Amino acid sequence: QVQLQESGPGLVRPSGTLSLTCVVSGGSMITDNWWSWLRQSPDKGLEWIGEIFHSGSTNFNPSLRSRLTMSMDRSRNQFSMNLTSVTAADTAIYYCARGEGIVLMVYGLWGPGHLVTVSS
Amino acid sequence: EITLTQSPATVSVSPGESVTLSCRASRNLNNYVAWYQQKVGQAPRLLIFGASTRAVGVPVRFSGGGSGTEFTLTISSLQSEDFGIYYCQQYNNWPPPWTFGQGTKVEVK
């Protein structure tokens, strides 16, 4: 049974970089699925951040594209995101999730979520 | 970017009653709509995709409908475990972003 688990700092300073990793356990990442990041905050609700395929292809939310990178470590079965120049508006619960298919961009598998606070 | 507007924001329902939630899109979604349930402290749970297809393990009391820009989620005979917040999501437009509605809270009457 595939499971996802986010990890990373819970507090990031303003103007710093938010770095998160999602470990995939119980199955391979080399599948016909997009591996995604989403976040949730009281102000913005649920927001799709971006996704990465095992080939390395990525798609990003245009509102975050200039600050966002994603990568995948197939040997460790994990994928990561980096968001630079963070502000308080980036405070949110961050989720990693698996898209259900190459074109079926709904999320049937989620990590438990990781709260990131941007504050000095 | 496609905007999804859910209504009502909150609905109060007694156990055993039925409720219908609405999701309106700013453009035609060609039925590429999903519904999620979220409880406090948990990640969202996928209920419906393709506007009307139940995800694996989802009870038959959950049903999705609609087309074009108007979609609904109906919960028949609400159970105690059905109270929470429900979100719709669109995955129609390419390229992304995929977007979500602001949610409807289903609470105990």
Side-chain angles (χ1 to χ4, degrees), chain A residues 79-98:
Chain A
F79 61 105
S80 301
M81 62 163 283
N82 288 319
L83 186 66
T84 62
S85 304
V86 297
T87 69
D90 295 309
T91 293
I93 297 173
Y94 284 75
Y95 295 99
C96 59
R98 184 187 68 185

Side-chain angles (χ1 to χ4, degrees), chain A residues 2-66:
Chain A
V2 181
Q3 293 182 313
L4 307 180
Q5 179 68 56
E6 307 90 350
S7 64
L11 179 65
V12 182
R13 303 301 183 193
S15 77
T17 297
L18 186 162
S19 298
L20 295 173
T21 295
C22 180
V23 174
V24 180
S25 59
S28 172
M29 294 186 64
I30 314 303
T31 58
D32 288 339
N33 301 94
W34 286 87
W35 301 92
S36 306
W37 290 97
L38 303 96
R39 67 183 182 181
Q40 185 173 32
S41 64
D43 289 345
K44 297 181 182 178
L46 278 165
E47 182 180 22
W48 179 83
I49 297 172
E51 60 195 7
I52 186 167
F53 199 66
H54 66 77
S55 62
S57 295
T58 55
N59 293 306
F60 296 157
N61 192 318
S63 68
L64 300 170
R65 182 176 292 135
S66 63

Side-chain angles (χ1 to χ4, degrees), chain B residues 26-89:
Chain B
S26 58
R27 295 209 303 267
N28 185 351
L29 297 183
N30 293 308
N31 289 354
Y32 291 123
V33 168
W35 289 90
Y36 298 82
Q37 175 196 65
Q38 188 176 32
K39 299 181 181 180
V40 174
Q42 297 183 15
R45 171 197 178 196
L46 178 65
L47 299 175
I48 301 284
F49 62 92
S52 61
T53 301
R54 275 184 296 276
V56 173
V58 174
V60 296
R61 64 180 181 272
F62 291 91
S63 61
S67 62
T69 61
E70 301 278 349
F71 298 89
T72 59
L73 174 69
T74 297
I75 312 172
S76 304
S77 187
L78 249 87
Q79 307 295 303
S80 57
E81 61 266 29
D82 298 337
F83 294 99
I85 302 177
Y86 290 81
Y87 296 94
C88 57
Q89 177 219 337

